[in-house]
Amino acid sequence: MDKPRQKFKKFILFIGDIFLLYLSLYIALALRNLSIFDERILQLFKGHIIPFSPIIIIWIIIFIVFDLYNPKFFKDINFYKNIVIATLISFSTSVIIFYINPPAGITPKTVLLIYTLTFMTLFTLWRYFYSKTISPKIFSRNIVLLGNTQETEELVSTIETIPQLGYKIIIHYPHIDFGIKNVQNEIRNKDINLVVIPDDININNESLKILYESIFLNVDFVYFSSFYEFIIKRIPLSTINENWFLKNISANPNQINDSIKRVLDV
């Protein structure tokens, strides 16, 4: 669910990282030579692009391994610990590579240290800026949530605690029938993009007609279990029954393994 949108958000982070990695190189060279804008620094920068480009690719791979592109963890203290650990590993790897295969004509030792410190600072600021500004304000989707369970409250709390996920619950209707009667007004008046409905929803013909007509208001409908699993990364216990197993487990061994893993995550 919402995978293209999530991939685009990660793509924005990726492009920003690439820009900062090369910007950090320029800043490191400028600080190393006590100069900012002159032809000599520009020529040095051009001379360092090719030797540093493989290093930059390795750094990006290390960031991916440490899950530094997952907005869900941007406010977690462990995320910032991972930034430090990933950066130190990237620095150590770069030192080894330059030691084994030193680039001709440049001495990157001091530059590499300044480069690492500069990028770690800019990278942290970039993630903070993204989580506070870009994700919640540009990529945010407004939600109407129907139903009320303990897992519903957990979902609401998670979304409110982690705004960088890009979702905002505009209104939560614990009483499903009442919520359905008002859903069209909410969609029209509050720019609703997504309506989350219970999996076991049991509605009359009038409510069914309202939901059907709402589809044409440029809004998406999703079952609670799918949205919960997408956000929380585990299956809600309340939806696990015989029907769930028939729906999610087939003769395909990989699907069976994946389904069992998702259940165990609970």
Side-chain angles (χ1 to χ4, degrees):
M1 191 199 73
D2 243 4
K3 287 185 178 180
R5 183 168 164 272
Q6 297 301 317
K7 288 181 178 179
F8 182 70
K9 290 166 70 174
K10 291 182 178 181
F11 178 73
I12 295 296
L13 289 170
F14 173 78
I15 293 299
D17 289 351
I18 294 295
F19 173 76
L20 291 181
L21 282 161
Y22 282 104
L23 176 63
S24 298
L25 176 59
Y26 184 91
I27 293 174
L29 291 169
L31 293 175
R32 175 69 176 84
N33 293 274
L34 301 178
S35 180
I36 299 178
F37 300 110
D38 62 33
E39 185 66 25
R40 185 169 64 93
I41 298 300
L42 184 59
Q43 291 303 318
L44 278 173
F45 175 68
K46 291 179 179 179
H48 281 70
I49 287 177
I50 293 178
F52 268 79
S53 289
I55 297 297
I56 287 175
I57 294 174
I58 292 173
W59 281 48
I60 291 293
I61 293 173
I62 293 173
F63 297 157
I64 293 173
V65 170
F66 276 85
D67 209 14
L68 300 184
Y69 289 91
N70 190 343
K72 181 177 181 179
F73 303 117
F74 286 1
K75 289 183 70 175
D76 191 330
I77 187 64
N78 290 324
F79 175 80
Y80 293 97
K81 291 180 181 178
N82 284 342
I83 290 179
V84 176
I85 295 171
T87 305
L88 290 175
I89 293 175
S90 300
F91 172 76
S92 302
T93 304
S94 303
V95 170
I96 293 171
I97 291 174
F98 281 139
Y99 179 79
I100 295 174
N101 186 28
I106 67 172
T107 53
K109 295 179 182 179
T110 304
V111 170
L112 187 59
L113 178 60
I114 301 174
Y115 173 76
T116 301
L117 295 174
T118 301
F119 176 74
M120 185 167 64
T121 302
L122 293 177
F123 180 86
T124 303
L125 293 174
W126 163 228
R127 286 297 187 272
Y128 181 82
F129 174 77
Y130 177 90
S131 65
K132 289 292 185 180
T133 305
I134 296 179
S135 184
K137 294 185 179 179
I138 298 178
F139 292 115
S140 182
R141 299 191 73 185
N142 295 333
I143 298 174
V144 168
L145 179 62
L146 303 177
N148 189 36
T149 65
Q150 184 176 351
E151 288 153 339
T152 305
E153 297 302 322
E154 180 187 7
L155 180 66
V156 171
S157 176
T158 300
I159 291 175
E160 290 177 348
T161 304
I162 314 175
Q164 60 268 28
L165 288 172
Y167 295 95
K168 183 178 181 181
I169 296 179
I170 300 301
I171 190 164
H172 173 205
Y173 287 111
H175 300 290
I176 299 172
D177 291 336
F178 180 76
I180 291 175
K181 290 179 181 178
N182 289 275
V183 72
Q184 286 191 4
N185 289 332
E186 300 295 344
I187 292 171
R188 290 190 179 98
N189 298 329
K190 298 183 179 178
D191 193 26
I192 300 299
N193 313 110
L194 186 66
V195 178
V196 181
I197 61 176
D199 293 64
D200 58 349
I201 187 170
N202 186 13
I203 55 179
N204 54 40
N205 290 336
E206 181 185 356
S207 296
L208 184 61
K209 181 181 178 181
I210 292 173
L211 291 179
Y212 176 76
E213 292 174 349
S214 300
I215 294 175
F216 300 98
L217 298 177
N218 195 28
V219 64
D220 295 325
F221 286 83
V222 62
Y223 281 119
F224 174 78
S225 61
S226 298
F227 189 63
Y228 179 95
E229 184 179 355
F230 177 74
I231 297 294
I232 308 296
K233 304 304 180 187
R234 67 174 185 269
I235 298 170
L237 276 173
S238 61
T239 65
I240 300 176
N241 51 34
E242 292 87 348
N243 291 332
W244 181 90
F245 278 98
L246 289 173
K247 180 181 177 181
N248 288 276
I249 299 182
S250 70
N252 187 326
N254 290 331
Q255 284 184 304
I256 294 174
N257 291 337
D258 289 344
S259 297
I260 292 174
K261 182 180 182 299
R262 287 157 58 201
V263 173
L264 291 176
D265 284 342
V266 174

